[in-house]
Amino acid sequence: MESHREFNYRRLHSLLGVLPVGLFLVQHLIVNNFATRGPEAFNKAVAFMEALPFKTALEIFVIALPILYHAVYGIYIAFTGKYSVGSYSYFRNWMFALQRITGIITVIFIVWHVWETRIQVFFGAHVDSNMMVDILSNPFMVVFYMVGVLSAIFHFSNGLWSFAVRWGLIVTPKSQRIFTYITVGVFVILAVMSVRTLLAFINMA
């Protein structure tokens, strides 16, 4: 039985996973998808984001800190949660396990992605199509990015269901079943978009 404090921690964790972390993920995927229109379109989209007012404050307080809390507390949940997949074959038990597995993969991916993109800016690099083409020129990195991006999308999409349940937005079995189909649709749409984006960068080489 969850304590009141832990219940509130988990509600905050699920909320931040959607607002603002989830919205940032979707926005990031949309900006990256401009690569399907060519390197110039992608570079213009990146330049627009770089020119946003209060960019540093936004990156720290709206992106970095919420992601940090969500990641740290998510890792705690992943290693303390009870798995029942081995005993029960119910769909939601598998989603429970995959949510935690993809969460760990996503944390690893985000750390690496930030290191070889945003952090490199401080060493004189420039975030543009050439940077992504160079990164994805390595076959290992193509696989790493595919797995990382799809894990992040699954974690967000499936997390929408957990968020809706924890915040009391879907309480009946029928509403939960319908929302499951919605979250699967969200995953498929974002996954297709992201695979097309990665292939666009690969084809720029």
Side-chain angles (χ1 to χ4, degrees):
M1 199 74 178
E2 290 180 343
S3 67
H4 181 69
R5 178 179 296 179
E6 183 177 358
F7 176 75
N8 288 333
Y9 286 159
R10 286 181 179 248
R11 277 168 62 92
L12 178 60
H13 174 263
S14 66
L15 176 63
L16 291 178
V18 177
L19 301 169
V21 176
L23 284 183
F24 169 70
L25 171 66
V26 174
Q27 172 266 321
H28 193 55
L29 295 176
I30 291 173
V31 170
N32 289 346
N33 192 247
F34 276 86
T36 60
R37 305 181 187 181
E40 184 178 352
F42 173 76
N43 292 339
K44 286 183 178 179
V46 172
F48 173 80
M49 297 304 299
E50 290 290 331
L52 288 175
F54 310 110
K55 183 175 72 72
T56 301
L58 289 172
E59 287 181 335
I60 294 174
F61 296 106
V62 180
I63 301 173
L65 292 180
I67 287 178
L68 183 61
Y69 176 85
H70 189 79
V72 171
Y73 196 70
I75 292 173
Y76 166 78
I77 294 174
F79 286 100
T80 58
K82 295 181 180 179
Y83 293 80
S84 55
V85 172
S87 303
Y88 305 98
S89 59
Y90 297 118
F91 174 77
R92 272 298 143 198
N93 284 333
W94 282 105
M95 293 299 100
F96 178 94
L98 289 174
Q99 185 70 2
R100 280 137 187 80
I101 293 170
T102 55
I104 298 298
I105 295 173
T106 300
V107 170
I108 296 171
F109 173 70
I110 289 176
V111 170
W112 181 258
H113 180 56
V114 170
W115 163 255
E116 65 178 356
T117 54
R118 299 304 305 170
I119 301 300
Q120 296 308 310
V121 171
F122 296 103
F123 297 101
H126 184 61
V127 179
D128 57 11
S129 60
N130 290 330
M131 170 183 278
M132 292 308 303
V133 169
D134 183 59
I135 290 172
L136 295 173
S137 64
N138 184 334
F140 172 80
M141 294 308 297
V142 172
V143 175
F144 179 71
Y145 265 71
M146 283 285 187
V147 173
V149 170
L150 292 179
S151 293
I153 293 171
F154 177 89
H155 191 76
F156 165 67
S157 303
N158 188 57
L160 288 174
W161 189 91
S162 301
F163 163 78
V165 170
R166 188 161 290 277
W167 283 85
L169 303 179
I170 50 173
V171 295
T172 66
K174 181 179 180 180
S175 63
Q176 293 176 1
R177 184 169 60 254
I178 292 173
F179 201 66
T180 295
Y181 296 137
I182 293 174
T183 58
V184 169
V186 171
F187 171 77
V188 171
I189 292 171
L190 294 180
V192 170
M193 178 194 301
S194 299
V195 170
R196 292 185 67 241
T197 297
L198 290 173
L199 291 177
F201 283 125
I202 293 171
N203 292 332
M204 287 180 192

